[in-house]
Amino acid sequence: MSVITMKDAEFSYEGAPVICRGNLRIEEGDFAVLVGENGAGKSTLLKLVLGELTPSVGEVRIFGTDPGKVFKNCQIGYIPQNSIALNQGFPATVEEIVLTGLYAQIGRFHFPKAVHRKKVAEMLGRMGMEEYRKCRIGELSGGQQQRVMLARALVGEPSLLILDEPTTGMDSKSIEEFYEILCSFNREARLTILMVTHGALRECQGINRIFRIEEGRVAEE
C-alpha cells in the first residue's frame, strides 16, 4: 500500500521554482530518508506532504487522500525542525508534553483519564524516559528532549511518522539511541517513517530507502 504519493508536483516561491516535477512514492513499512543540500527544497517538500502547502501543478496524496485531512485525523506523527531549541524554556513537564499527543482522544476542554496517563507512561517507558515524567522539559539533555518529542508524536499510534532534521543538536550516542528506537518501531509496529536529515546514516541500519533532492527534483539512490 502506498502511504505517500507525490506525482509531478511543482511549487514556487514568488515565481522561483523550488519543487520541479517532484515524484515520490513511499510504501507501508518503509523507513525512508530524504537528503539534500541546504536550500534544495527538503522543507518545502515536507510542507507539501503535510498539507501546509499545495502544489501549483501535480498532486500529493497520503493514504490516497488529501494530506491536510489525514493530518487532522491524527494518522501522522510529526517532529518539526529545531524542536530541541524550541523546548528549552517551555514551562511543562515531560508527562504534560506527551499528553498533548493524545488531545484528539482526550477531547477539547476535557481532562486526561487514567487510561491516557497509562498510555503516556508506557510510551515513555519505550523511550527509557519514564523516570523523568515529572521533570521540566528544559531540565533534560538534547537527546532526552528529542525522545520526549518522539514519545509525543507516537503516543497517538499514528500510521506515518515524519521527522525534520531530528538529530540536530544531539551527540553521537544520543543519535545512535534515537535511531535504535526508530528502527524498533519500524520493525515491530510496521510504522512507516519519512525522515529528513543532514546527519550520517551509518548509525541507522534500518533505513531501506534513500531519496535525494537536487534543484527541486527527487531521485531515489
Side-chain angles (χ1 to χ4, degrees), residues 180-209:
E180 286 177 357
I181 294 171
L182 290 180
C183 289
S184 69
F185 274 90
N186 174 250
R187 289 193 309 265
E188 298 165 18
R190 293 282 296 168
L191 176 68
T192 305
I193 300 173
L194 172 60
M195 178 173 70
V196 168
T197 184
H198 276 109
L201 302 178
R202 60 181 177 273
E203 295 96 339
C204 187
Q205 302 301 315
I207 295 170
N208 71 319
R209 302 182 71 188

Side-chain angles (χ1 to χ4, degrees), residues 31 33-35 79-85 141-147 149-150 162-182 194-204 207:
F31 189 158
V33 172
L34 178 68
V35 297
I79 299 181
Q81 192 173 8
N82 299 322
S83 60
I84 293 177
S141 69
Q144 290 172 329
Q145 288 184 24
Q146 201 66 317
R147 276 185 275 169
M149 298 309 294
L150 181 58
I162 296 177
L163 310 99
D164 190 0
E165 302 285 2
T167 60
T168 301
M170 294 168 61
D171 59 41
S172 58
K173 186 175 186 299
S174 297
I175 291 172
E176 184 178 350
E177 293 172 346
F178 189 79
Y179 281 161
E180 286 177 357
I181 294 171
L182 290 180
L194 172 60
M195 178 173 70
V196 168
T197 184
H198 276 109
L201 302 178
R202 60 181 177 273
E203 295 96 339
C204 187
I207 295 170

Side-chain angles (χ1 to χ4, degrees), residues 92-112:
T93 66
V94 166
E95 182 181 48
E96 290 168 342
I97 287 174
V98 180
L99 274 169
T100 63
L102 290 174
Y103 274 178
Q105 297 180 24
I106 295 170
R108 197 176 182 183
F109 306 123
H110 290 79
F111 291 104

Side-chain angles (χ1 to χ4, degrees), residues 60-168:
V60 179
R61 291 290 180 266
I62 309 295
F63 302 108
T65 191
D66 177 78
K69 294 179 181 178
V70 178
F71 197 73
K72 290 177 182 178
N73 291 337
C74 302
Q75 288 178 267
I76 301 177
Y78 175 50
I79 299 181
Q81 192 173 8
N82 299 322
S83 60
I84 293 177
L86 295 172
N87 289 328
Q88 297 301 324
F90 198 64
T93 66
V94 166
E95 182 181 48
E96 290 168 342
I97 287 174
V98 180
L99 274 169
T100 63
L102 290 174
Y103 274 178
Q105 297 180 24
I106 295 170
R108 197 176 182 183
F109 306 123
H110 290 79
F111 291 104
K113 299 178 181 178
V115 63
H116 301 126
R117 296 190 183 279
K118 182 181 178 182
K119 290 186 73 170
V120 167
E122 290 174 348
M123 184 57 66
L124 287 172
R126 288 288 305 271
M127 304 294 159
M129 294 297 297
E130 188 175 8
E131 63 182 288
Y132 300 96
R133 67 185 186 281
K134 297 301 181 183
C135 294
R136 296 282 177 139
I137 188 72
E139 298 170 354
L140 305 180
S141 69
Q144 290 172 329
Q145 288 184 24
Q146 201 66 317
R147 276 185 275 169
V148 171
M149 298 309 294
L150 181 58
R152 178 185 181 275
L154 294 178
V155 71
E157 301 179 9
S159 301
L160 170 64
L161 175 65
I162 296 177
L163 310 99
D164 190 0
E165 302 285 2
T167 60
T168 301

